[in-house]
Amino acid sequence: MRLKLLGSGNAAGMPLYGCACEVCIEASANRRLQRTPCSAQLEIDGRTYLLDAGQMNLTQQFPAGSLDGILLTHFHVDHVQGLFHLRWGVGEEIPVYCPEDGEGCADLYKHPGILRFHAQQAYVPFVLEGGQVTPLSLNHSKPTLGYLIAWQNAQIAYLTDTKGLPPKTAELLGRQKLDLMVIDCSLMPGCDHPGHNNLDDALVLHKAIRPRRSVLTHIGHDLDIWLKANPQALPDNLSVGHDEQLVYPIV
Amino acid sequence: MRLKLLGSGNAAGMPLYGCACEVCIEASANRRLQRTPCSAQLEIDGRTYLLDAGQMNLTQQFPAGSLDGILLTHFHVDHVQGLFHLRWGVGEEIPVYCPEDGEGCADLYKHPGILRFHAQQAYVPFVLEGGQVTPLSLNHSKPTLGYLIAWQNAQIAYLTDTKGLPPKTAELLGRQKLDLMVIDCSLMPGCDHPGHNNLDDALVLHKAIRPRRSVLTHIGHDLDIWLKANPQALPDNLSVGHDEQLVYPIV
C-alpha cells in the first residue's frame, strides 16, 4: 500500500491568486511550494484509487484505464471539480465511493457519465482490493466521510474536511494502531472555522489518536505564512504535507 | 478589437477520455487538434475580457490583474468551472456579466470571492470599454445569452450554447452587418439535440444571418470524425474553429 498526496491545499491554494506576499512569490516560482486541491493517490495491491478528485487535470494525470476508483470525502467543489470533465469519457465505469448527499455538486448526479456513485454508510466497512475501508463521519458543512484504510498490517486514516472529530470517529480511531493520520489543518492557531481544523485542533487530535505519524493537509495561505515564521512549532512525528509527497510508506 | 478562441470543444473535449479512435489518437499527440472547453478571449481597446470561463487553468493563463472582466453565456459547469479556483483570489474585483439564473452553478453565488455577478437583460445593450455589447437570448436548457459586440465599425456575434436562434435574436442579427459570427455547432448533420446545433442547423443560420464569416465552436467528438471524412462540406466563408485561433480580425 502506498499513499501519495496529489494536492495539499485548500480551495484557494498556494500561491493565492493575486497575492504578492513573500510566501506566495516564492511558491509562484517553485512547484514544490505550491498547493493544489487537497487529494491523494492510494495504491493498494497494484490498483490505483483517488482520495478526492479536485485536481483540475485528472484526465491528464490519469490516462483512461489507470484509475480503478475514487473515494470522495464530500461534494464540495474543490474536492470533485476534476470529475466535471473526466465523467464524459468512454469505456469502463469508474466506481466512486462517497457519502450520502442528496445534492451532490452541480450536475454530477444528473450527468454521471462513466462515474458510478456508491453512497457509503459511516462505520460500515467495505472491501477494497483485499484491504478494508471504513468510512468515518467527520464534522463539516456537508455530509463528509474520512476513510480508515487497513491493508495487511498497515492502517492509515485520511481525515478531511473536518473541525475536530465526532466522538464516535475519535473513539474508533483511538482504538487503532494507526501508522499514519492525514488530517485537515487549514488554519493557523487561534483562527477558528466551523468546518476546518486550525493547528491547535490538529495537535489535540494528534495527541488523542496517537498515530505513528501525522501529516497535515488542506493547508491554507495564512497557515503557510505562520509556519514559515514558526518553523519549530511541530512535534517530531507530525509534519506539514506537500503536493506530490509520498506519505506512506514512511521514508 | 481582437477575438481569440481559447477552447473550441464541448464538455467532453477532444481527445475524448478513453477513446481510441483515429481522430482522438491524433489529437492526443497534437495540441492543435485538441479541444478544451468552449471559450474566447476578447481584447477591446487594450482591455482583456473572457467569453465564458470553462478553461481549467484560468489562474495560470491570466495572472492577477490581466483580466478586466468576464462575459458568461450561461452557468453550465463546462462554461464556468475555471471560476471555482480563481474566485478565491485577492485584490481587485472581477465583473462577471451573465444571464439572470437563480441557480448559478454549484456554490458560485454563495461564495463569489472576488467575482461580482452582474445579471444582464436580453436585448438591453451595455457599454464595454467604448464598445457596445448587446446580450441576445439563445435556445438552451439553462438561461443563456449570446453577445453581439460592436466596436468602432466592427461587429461580431458570439452565440453558444444554442439550438437554432429565438426569432427575436435571429431578426436582430439579420439586420446587422456582422463581420464574424461564432456559432455553436456541437453535432454532425442529422444528429439532433434540444440545446445544441448540428452542422445543418449552423449552415441554415449562416445563410440566414449572412455574416462575412462564420466560425463553428463547441465542437463534439463525432462532428470532428465526420468533418475528417467530409473535408469539403463547408462553404468558403465558414470554418471550423480551433483552440487558440485568432478569429478576429480575420487574417
Side-chain angles (χ1 to χ4, degrees):
Chain A
M1 180 163 65
R2 290 162 59 92
L3 186 71
K4 185 175 84 168
L5 302 187
L6 294 174
S8 60
N10 68 359
M14 169 60 67
L16 189 61
Y17 185 68
C19 181
C21 81
E22 187 191 353
V23 173
C24 284
I25 298 289
E26 274 183 13
S28 298
N30 183 349
R31 171 66 184 102
R32 202 192 161 287
L33 300 176
Q34 292 172 18
R35 299 192 186 278
T36 61
C38 180
S39 53
Q41 176 179 346
L42 173 70
E43 288 179 27
I44 187 165
D45 215 8
R47 308 264 282 176
T48 299
Y49 290 81
L50 293 181
L51 282 151
D52 281 334
Q55 298 274 307
M56 298 295 260
N57 59 351
L58 280 188
T59 55
Q60 290 157 45
Q61 288 192 58
F62 297 93
S66 70
L67 211 49
D68 296 297
I70 300 168
L71 285 73
L72 286 186
T73 62
H74 64 301
F75 282 93
H76 274 152
V77 71
D78 57 316
H79 292 255
V80 301
Q81 59 201 355
L83 301 178
F84 293 136
H85 177 227
L86 183 142
R87 64 176 155 165
W88 296 117
V90 294
E92 290 212 4
E93 291 178 357
I94 298 177
V96 181
Y97 307 91
C98 57
E100 207 159 88
D101 181 331
E103 195 179 17
C105 184
D107 62 352
L108 278 179
Y109 285 165
K110 187 176 174 189
H111 298 298
I114 59 170
L115 307 176
R116 284 299 166 270
F117 293 101
H118 301 284
Q120 302 299 311
Q121 299 300 316
Y123 315 116
V124 179
F126 60 94
V127 170
L128 197 73
E129 310 299 344
Q132 179 178 282
V133 176
T134 308
L136 305 168
S137 272
L138 299 182
N139 293 329
H140 198 52
S141 55
K142 239 175 139 52
T144 301
L145 294 174
Y147 293 100
L148 170 64
I149 303 155
W151 193 72
Q152 296 182 345
N153 293 323
Q155 289 201 100
I156 61 184
Y158 187 85
L159 307 170
T160 185
D161 295 359
T162 194
K163 167 75 166 181
L165 289 174
K168 190 167 176 182
T169 294
E171 195 183 301
L172 187 151
L173 289 173
R175 291 200 306 269
Q176 317 302 316
K177 291 202 169 175
L178 281 188
D179 295 281
L180 172 69
M181 177 170 76
V182 181
I183 182 82
D184 177 339
C185 183
S186 301
L187 303 149
M188 61 183 180
C191 192
D192 259 317
H193 187 288
H196 292 288
N197 290 325
N198 61 30
L199 182 56
D200 297 327
D201 299 322
L203 289 170
V204 165
L205 293 172
H206 176 69
K207 280 182 191 157
I209 309 288
R210 288 180 300 163
R212 270 184 65 207
R213 181 157 203 87
S214 290
V215 173
L216 310 182
T217 193
H218 209 277
I219 312 292
H221 170 267
D222 291 356
L223 177 56
D224 260 332
I225 293 173
W226 189 92
L227 287 164
K228 192 177 166 77
N230 298 274
Q232 310 300 330
L234 308 180
D236 279 348
N237 64 338
L238 181 147
S239 62
V240 181
H242 56 80
D243 283 25
E244 299 179 4
Q245 179 184 3
L246 182 70
V247 289
Y248 189 87
I250 297 159
V251 287
Chain B
M1 181 163 65
R2 288 162 59 92
L3 186 72
K4 185 175 84 167
L5 302 187
L6 295 174
S8 59
N10 68 359
M14 168 61 66
L16 189 61
Y17 186 67
C19 181
C21 81
E22 185 190 353
V23 172
C24 284
I25 298 289
E26 274 183 15
S28 299
N30 183 349
R31 170 68 185 102
R32 203 193 160 287
L33 299 175
Q34 292 172 16
R35 298 192 186 278
T36 60
C38 181
S39 52
Q41 177 180 346
L42 173 70
E43 288 178 26
I44 187 165
D45 215 8
R47 309 265 282 176
T48 300
Y49 290 81
L50 293 182
L51 282 152
D52 282 333
Q55 298 274 307
M56 297 295 260
N57 60 351
L58 280 188
T59 55
Q60 289 157 45
Q61 288 192 59
F62 297 94
S66 70
L67 210 51
D68 296 296
I70 300 169
L71 284 74
L72 287 186
T73 62
H74 65 301
F75 282 92
H76 273 152
V77 71
D78 56 316
H79 292 255
V80 302
Q81 60 201 355
L83 301 178
F84 292 136
H85 177 227
L86 183 142
R87 63 175 157 168
W88 296 117
V90 294
E92 290 211 6
E93 291 179 355
I94 298 175
V96 181
Y97 307 91
C98 58
E100 207 160 89
D101 181 331
E103 195 180 16
C105 185
D107 61 353
L108 279 179
Y109 285 166
K110 187 177 174 189
H111 299 298
I114 58 170
L115 307 175
R116 283 300 165 270
F117 293 101
H118 301 283
Q120 301 300 310
Q121 299 300 315
Y123 315 116
V124 179
F126 60 95
V127 170
L128 197 72
E129 310 300 344
Q132 178 178 284
V133 176
T134 307
L136 305 167
S137 272
L138 300 182
N139 293 328
H140 199 51
S141 56
K142 237 175 142 49
T144 301
L145 295 174
Y147 293 99
L148 170 63
I149 303 156
W151 193 73
Q152 296 182 345
N153 292 322
Q155 288 201 99
I156 61 184
Y158 187 85
L159 307 169
T160 186
D161 295 358
T162 195
K163 167 75 167 182
L165 289 174
K168 189 168 176 181
T169 295
E171 196 183 300
L172 187 152
L173 289 173
R175 290 198 307 267
Q176 317 301 317
K177 289 199 169 177
L178 281 187
D179 294 282
L180 171 69
M181 176 171 76
V182 180
I183 182 82
D184 177 338
C185 184
S186 301
L187 302 148
M188 61 183 178
C191 193
D192 260 317
H193 186 289
H196 293 288
N197 290 325
N198 61 30
L199 182 55
D200 297 327
D201 300 321
L203 289 171
V204 166
L205 293 172
H206 176 70
K207 279 181 191 157
I209 309 288
R210 289 179 301 163
R212 270 184 66 206
R213 179 157 205 87
S214 290
V215 173
L216 310 182
T217 192
H218 210 277
I219 311 293
H221 170 268
D222 291 357
L223 176 57
D224 260 333
I225 293 173
W226 189 91
L227 287 165
K228 192 177 165 77
N230 298 273
Q232 310 300 328
L234 307 182
D236 279 348
N237 63 339
L238 181 147
S239 62
V240 181
H242 57 80
D243 283 25
E244 298 179 4
Q245 180 184 2
L246 183 70
V247 289
Y248 189 86
I250 296 159
V251 286

